């Protein structure tokens, strides 16, 4: 009998076998395991890109272009072989010849059956593994090349056995174990994705095929462990593309992993879990690019005793169908009747929620759900109830063992969505998943918000590891704008700048210039204005003017400060957007000749004489609030800003009567928005509103451009913004488009420095007291904003202590951060609060007669 538990199965995907560097990593891991007395079984995919090329080959061959399609495939293998110091034409002679023959066959018959397609696709794995095994052997690591089809057999539980998406038998396989004992005293290397049908033909495992192959092999060998090597270091608590504060999940139980994989986490195919769970094999997801980093461990054991939220995910393109009828009340059999048409049309239901008189079901996005199919379904359902279909919803799911017990924590996070309808709430019977369905465009924002409020690390956390941003994989950091955080580089200067007793804002003018130039340099933006309400420091105003931006002001005092600090700006480069300001400010602004935006009827109605001969812009309320917090959403039925659409006609009449011309329209609907599509919607809305207003030349899309925040929102992608603006301009060539960002220009350029005054520990919490608090930075108290906080004095020390960072103000809300991971902190240390450049000092107060932080530039 073989020592079965001795096997470790390693699976590598197409991106992990594409170069010599990748193969060195595979070798290191395999050799390491071998030295530790394990037997290694490697499963891997075709080289990245080859499966797609083979998939296309059949089509090309039908069209008579087989040779042109084959050559790049051969060439790619020759390339990798050369890098590995191998000769592809010798090693792969059989596969190359087979492929040519198969392609020629298709070209002749003009028919690519699923059988032939499977045969062709399988070559990708066969070729790649031939090279891999030869190279490992050349390195002295004895490796037996196994044809996976001789070990994996497709299940036959239907009359027609498919070719392209089969499941395989995976009970512990003593024959295979005995065979390997005999033939493979060293390690084994084989293909993912392929298997054999009982009739001998090649079959494919379909989507997630290689992961599934590895899980099957692990189960068949009763392996000790399964390692899935991929290009991310395991599962994350959210999609890192949505929030950089997504945290690596250190450990998951099988059922949590299954739930997350099914929610579309993308790291692992959900099919992979069942075989290893049944066999009780521990599984790890690891990253080839970071081989030394611990990934996610998946096993029967939960990571900790208490219920814990593990992840928040969002699914788009969800469709809701509601059936309403009073025939349901106390009637039996209604649900069976209601679900029957779904079954008949092969439509799979994801979530269900019912009341006494209605049933709502959700359908996941699925290309097979054609409009025709939905209409037919609707017609059938209409026979038993009144049917409503809502398209394009988003399902946001909270996943973790015992989510039900965590419900009470979710309240504050949901509060921000009071404006938006929750279309459906569903709690899974397995208590692993709670899902809410909202309108499509709210999904990402809700997901981020729930994630960032609810997923907080604890000291010595067994569940969560580093955040995506900390791991340094943040895609935003690849953007040209994102140098490493400037304050890390200028740390020594900052430590010197922090006053011994007080606090100070410090602004980095290089960062201001970089951001302002990025906006001024947008190819398709006609003009950019810096919203100085974010930060009115004169050096910043001068820097943005030098970079080519104008300035947007909200009070006459701001207009004067802008003119004083940047005298090179003409009145024409200043935009004045007052709200409920007194008459005198309008009169003065018109005298100065700056652009003036009106956001109500009152000025035109009551002071018409001011506007004779003037050009003005109208601010419109698009009725659709956006932004990071309800306090910064400046549109919607309750907002005090802007004219409602049905007031525009009256404004036009009043302007005409006063002798004024309306030359611009403006919308600013909120602050802290990361999706460029927002400004596209605004642009479309404004150009529609402008259709009947022939003097309008300018459409001002407002500000609100988001930055990277510790709470998750991401810096707006200026390249994507530019592309969007280009499309907008192409669609509406008659208009100039303007933007007026504030936060984007300055937030990341500023930090708040403050000394630690005292510390305190209670049985439940640690407190770090600073020389300043909400009197200098009110954003955490006012918006629940999360600013990064570090101990600048002890930047290199291990952060394994958790504390609330508080100020000296007599208010419980005087907290700059709660539950933050820090190194143990002491009196006199310098603490740094990040993203302090926008809406920091400008919103400061003298509450408690405490001077707020002063300002310096660096
Ligand atoms: N334009 C108008 C008409 C605005 O009202 C604002 C901001 C902006 C532009 C600039 O928005 P930004 O690009 O900075 O998001 N105190 C809050 C933000 C309030 C924003 C008020 N209006 C905060 O700290 O988040």
């Amino acid at each position: 009998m073989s020592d079965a538990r001795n096997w470790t199965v390693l699976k590598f995907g197409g991106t992990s076998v594409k170069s010599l560097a990748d193969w060195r990593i595979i070798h290191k891991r395999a050799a390491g395991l071998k030295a530790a007395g394990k037997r290694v079984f490697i499963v891997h995919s075709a080289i990245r890109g080859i499966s797609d090329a083979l998939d296309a080959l059949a089509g090309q061959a039908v069209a008579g272009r087989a040779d042109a399609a084959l050559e790049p495939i051969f060439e790619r293998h020759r390339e990798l072989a050369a890098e590995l110091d191998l000769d592809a034409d010798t090693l792969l002679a059989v596969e190359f010849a087979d492929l040519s023959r198969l392609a020629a066959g298709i070209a002749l018959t003009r028919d690519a059956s699923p059988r032939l397609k499977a045969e062709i696709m399988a070559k990708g794995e066969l070729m790649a593994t031939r090279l891999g095994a030869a190279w490992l052997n050349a390195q002295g690591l004895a490796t037996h090349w196994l044809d996976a089809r001789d070990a994996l057999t497709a299940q036959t539980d239907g009359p027609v056995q498919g070719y392209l998406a089969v499941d395989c038998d995976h009970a512990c396989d003593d024959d295979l174990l005995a065979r390997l004992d005999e033939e493979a005293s060293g390690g084994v290397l084989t293909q993912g994705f392929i298997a054999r049908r009982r009739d001998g033909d090649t079959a494919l495992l379909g989507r997630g095929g290689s992961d599934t192959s590895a899980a099957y092999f692990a189960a068949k060998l009763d392996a000790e462990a399964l390692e899935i090597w991929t290009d991310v270091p395991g599962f994350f608590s959210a999609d890192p593309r949505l929030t950089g504060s997504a945290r690596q999940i250190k450990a998951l139980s099988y059922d949590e992993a299954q739930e997350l994989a099914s929610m579309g986490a993308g790291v692992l195919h959900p099919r992979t879990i069942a075989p290893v769970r049944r066999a009780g094999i521990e599984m790890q997801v690891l990253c080839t690019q970071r081989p030394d980093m611990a990934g996610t461990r998946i096993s029967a054991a939960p990571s900790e005793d208490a219920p814990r939220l593990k992840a928040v995910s969002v699914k788009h393109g969800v469709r809701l169908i509601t059936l309403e009828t009073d025939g349901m009340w106390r009637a039996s059999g209604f649900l069976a009747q209601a679900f029957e048409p779904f079954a008949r049309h092969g439509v799979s239901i994801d979530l269900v929620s019912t009341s006494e008189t209605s049933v709502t079901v959700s359908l996941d996005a699925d290309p097979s759900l054609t409009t025709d199919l939905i209409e037919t379904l609707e017609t059938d359902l209409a026979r038993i109830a009144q049917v409503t279909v809502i398209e394009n919803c988003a399902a946001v799911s909270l996943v973790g063992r015992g989510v039900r017990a965590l419900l009470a924590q979710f309240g504050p996070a949901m509060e921000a969505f009071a404006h938006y309808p929750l279309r459906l709430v569903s709690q899974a019977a397995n208590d692993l998943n709670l899902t809410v369905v909202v309108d499509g465009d709210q999904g990402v924002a809700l997901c981020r918000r729930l994630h960032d409020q609810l997923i907080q690390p604890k000291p010595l956390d067994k569940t969560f590891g580093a955040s995506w941003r900390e791991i340094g994989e943040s895609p935003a950091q690849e953007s040209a704008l994102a140098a490493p955080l400037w304050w890390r580089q200028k740390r020594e200067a900052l430590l010197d700048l922090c006053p011994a007793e007080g606090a100070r804002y410090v602004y980095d003018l290089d960062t201001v210039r970089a951001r302002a130039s990025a906006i001024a340099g947008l190819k398709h933006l006609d003009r950019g204005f810096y919203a100085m309400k974010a930060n009115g420091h004169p050096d910043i105003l001068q820097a943005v003017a030098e970079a080519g931006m104008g300035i947007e002001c909200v009070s006459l005092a701001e207009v004067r400060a802008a003119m004083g600090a940047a005298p090179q700006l003409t009145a024409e480069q200043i935009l004045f957007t007052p709200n409920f300001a007194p008459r005198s400010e309008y009169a003065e602004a018109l005298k100065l000749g700056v652009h003036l935006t009106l956001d109500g009827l009152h000025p035109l109605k009551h002071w018409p004489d001011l506007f004779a001969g003037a050009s003005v812009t109208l601010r419109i309320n698009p009725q659709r609030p956006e932004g990071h917090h309800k306090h910064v959403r400046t549109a919607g039925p309750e907002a005090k800003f802007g004219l409602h659409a049905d007031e525009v006609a009256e404004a036009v009449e009043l302007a005409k009567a006063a002798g004024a011309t309306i030359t611009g329209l403006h919308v600013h609907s909120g602050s802290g928005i990361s999706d460029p599509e927002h400004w596209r919607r605004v642009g479309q809305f404004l150009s529609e509103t402008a259709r009947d207003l022939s003097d309008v030349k300018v459409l001002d899309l407002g500000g609100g451009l988001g930055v990277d925040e510790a709470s998750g929102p991401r810096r707006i992608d200026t390249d994507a913004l530019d592309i969007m603006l280009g499309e907008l301009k192409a669609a509406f060539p008659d208009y100039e488009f303007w933007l007026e960002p504030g936060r984007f220009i300055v937030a990341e350029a500023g930090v708040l420095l403050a000394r630690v005054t005292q510390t305190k520990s209670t049985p439940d919490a640690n407190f770090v007291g600073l020389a300043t608090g909400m009197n200098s930075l009110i954003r955490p108290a006012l918006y629940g904003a999360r600013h990064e906080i570090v101990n600048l004095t002890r930047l290199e020390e291990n952060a394994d202590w958790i504390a609330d960072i508080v100020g000296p103000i007599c208010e419980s809300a005087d907290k700059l951060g709660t539950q933050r991971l820090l190194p143990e902190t002491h009196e006199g240390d310098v603490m740094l609060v990040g993203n302090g450049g926008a809406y920091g000092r400008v919103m400061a107060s003298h509450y408690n007669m405490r001077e707020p932080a002063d300002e310096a530039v660096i």
Side-chain angles (χ1 to χ4, degrees), residues 542-621:
Q542 180 54 240
V544 297
E546 276 167 21
M549 293 185 78
I551 295 182
E552 190 263 346
C553 310
V554 69
S555 68
L556 205 65
E558 283 194 357
V559 172
R560 294 209 185 93
M563 289 179 154
Q568 73 265 47
L569 293 182
T570 61
E572 224 265 317
Q573 287 168 294
I574 292 186
L575 204 60
F576 182 38
T577 319
N579 174 246
F580 291 101
R583 172 183 168 127
S584 58
E585 295 200 16
Y586 293 80
E588 180 68 19
L590 288 165
K591 211 182 294 162
L592 290 168
V594 300
H595 287 282
L596 176 63
T597 302
L598 300 179
D599 84 338
L601 295 176
H602 189 106
L604 287 169
K605 208 184 263 180
H606 298 282
W607 321 319
D609 48 314
L610 286 186
F611 298 98
S615 295
V616 293
T617 292
L618 295 183
R619 176 170 180 172
I620 318 285
N621 178 343

Side-chain angles (χ1 to χ4, degrees), residues 531 533-534 552 577 619 628 632 666 668 670-672 702-705 740-743 779 783 839 843:
K533 59 179 79 69
E552 190 263 346
T577 319
R619 176 170 180 172
H628 70 79
V632 303
H666 170 248
H668 171 83
S671 203
L705 286 68
E740 39 186 54
R743 183 191 320 273
R779 301 190 73 251
Y783 313 123
Y839 305 108
M843 296 178 78

Side-chain angles (χ1 to χ4, degrees), residues 360-599:
T360 303
V361 301
S362 81
L363 312 181
D364 281 353
D366 176 353
S368 71
L369 293 181
T370 57
T371 324
D372 284 352
L373 178 54
I374 294 293
E375 272 168 18
T376 318
L377 182 66
E378 242 183 291
T379 316
D380 288 0
L381 292 168
R383 296 202 180 100
I384 52 166
Q386 194 184 325
V387 187
T388 321
V389 180
I390 308 177
E391 304 278 347
N392 193 25
C393 296
V396 177
S397 299
L398 302 159
V399 181
R401 209 167 41 83
V403 270
R404 208 173 353 205
L406 304 170
L407 266 175
Q409 298 172 18
F410 300 161
M414 303 299 295
E415 178 265 355
F417 287 81
H419 273 302
Y420 304 101
L422 282 189
R423 304 259 175 217
L424 181 153
V425 179
S426 150
Q427 189 243 315
N430 61 12
D431 203 13
L432 278 170
N433 180 331
L434 185 109
T435 297
V436 298
V437 179
V438 293
D439 288 345
D441 54 353
Q442 295 306 319
V444 165
L446 180 60
C447 174
R448 249 190 219 136
R449 191 165 189 100
L450 288 171
H451 175 270
D452 295 341
Q453 293 202 359
L454 297 174
I455 298 220
Q456 307 273 349
K458 298 195 248 175
L460 306 175
D461 204 314
K462 288 193 204 135
T463 296
F464 296 116
S467 73
W468 182 262
R469 198 171 280 139
E470 284 156 3
I471 294 169
E473 297 255 3
S474 164
Q477 289 190 13
E478 287 160 17
S479 103
L481 278 178
L485 283 180
W486 63 268
W487 50 259
R488 287 184 197 274
Q489 292 168 339
K490 300 186 183 174
R491 175 180 167 214
E492 291 307 320
L494 288 172
L495 285 171
D496 290 343
L497 272 168
C498 183
E501 294 230 299
R504 179 163 290 159
Y505 278 106
V506 182
Y507 309 128
D508 180 50
L509 288 183
D510 289 343
T511 305
V512 173
R513 286 187 199 105
R515 300 287 187 275
S517 306
I519 296 298
L522 290 174
K523 282 202 292 293
H524 301 105
L525 182 68
D526 294 292
R527 292 168 78 170
F529 295 82
Y530 165 57
M532 70 174 281
K533 59 179 79 69
N535 188 327
H537 193 284
D539 293 358
I540 291 180
L541 299 179
Q542 180 54 240
V544 297
E546 276 167 21
M549 293 185 78
I551 295 182
E552 190 263 346
C553 310
V554 69
S555 68
L556 205 65
E558 283 194 357
V559 172
R560 294 209 185 93
M563 289 179 154
Q568 73 265 47
L569 293 182
T570 61
E572 224 265 317
Q573 287 168 294
I574 292 186
L575 204 60
F576 182 38
T577 319
N579 174 246
F580 291 101
R583 172 183 168 127
S584 58
E585 295 200 16
Y586 293 80
E588 180 68 19
L590 288 165
K591 211 182 294 162
L592 290 168
V594 300
H595 287 282
L596 176 63
T597 302
L598 300 179
D599 84 338

Side-chain angles (χ1 to χ4, degrees), residues 255-385:
D255 49 4
E256 287 172 324
Q258 173 91 44
E259 192 75 23
L260 271 177
S262 316
M263 295 313 300
V267 182
L268 203 63
H269 197 276
R271 284 167 81 193
T272 323
I273 313 280
V276 289
R277 162 198 259 162
R278 213 164 297 137
I281 297 165
E282 184 171 309
M283 182 163 162
Q284 294 218 60
V285 181
L286 297 152
C287 177
T288 323
Q289 287 80 34
R290 295 168 176 275
D292 299 323
M293 195 167 165
T296 302
R297 188 169 50 82
I298 301 168
S299 66
S303 54
E304 50 191 317
D305 300 338
R308 186 93 190 259
L309 181 65
K310 299 287 166 61
V312 185
S313 71
V314 56
K315 257 196 283 194
H316 297 281
V318 171
R319 202 183 249 114
L320 288 183
I321 301 185
T322 298
L323 308 179
E324 266 173 301
T325 167
D326 37 19
M328 200 177 150
W329 197 67
R330 300 234 166 115
S332 59
F334 178 78
L335 282 181
Q337 231 185 330
F339 289 149
E340 186 279 329
F342 289 92
R344 185 157 31 89
H345 295 295
V347 174
S348 128
I349 292 173
D350 188 37
L351 305 167
V352 182
S353 115
T354 69
S355 77
E356 294 287 8
T357 57
S358 73
V359 185
T360 303
V361 301
S362 81
L363 312 181
D364 281 353
D366 176 353
S368 71
L369 293 181
T370 57
T371 324
D372 284 352
L373 178 54
I374 294 293
E375 272 168 18
T376 318
L377 182 66
E378 242 183 291
T379 316
D380 288 0
L381 292 168
R383 296 202 180 100
I384 52 166

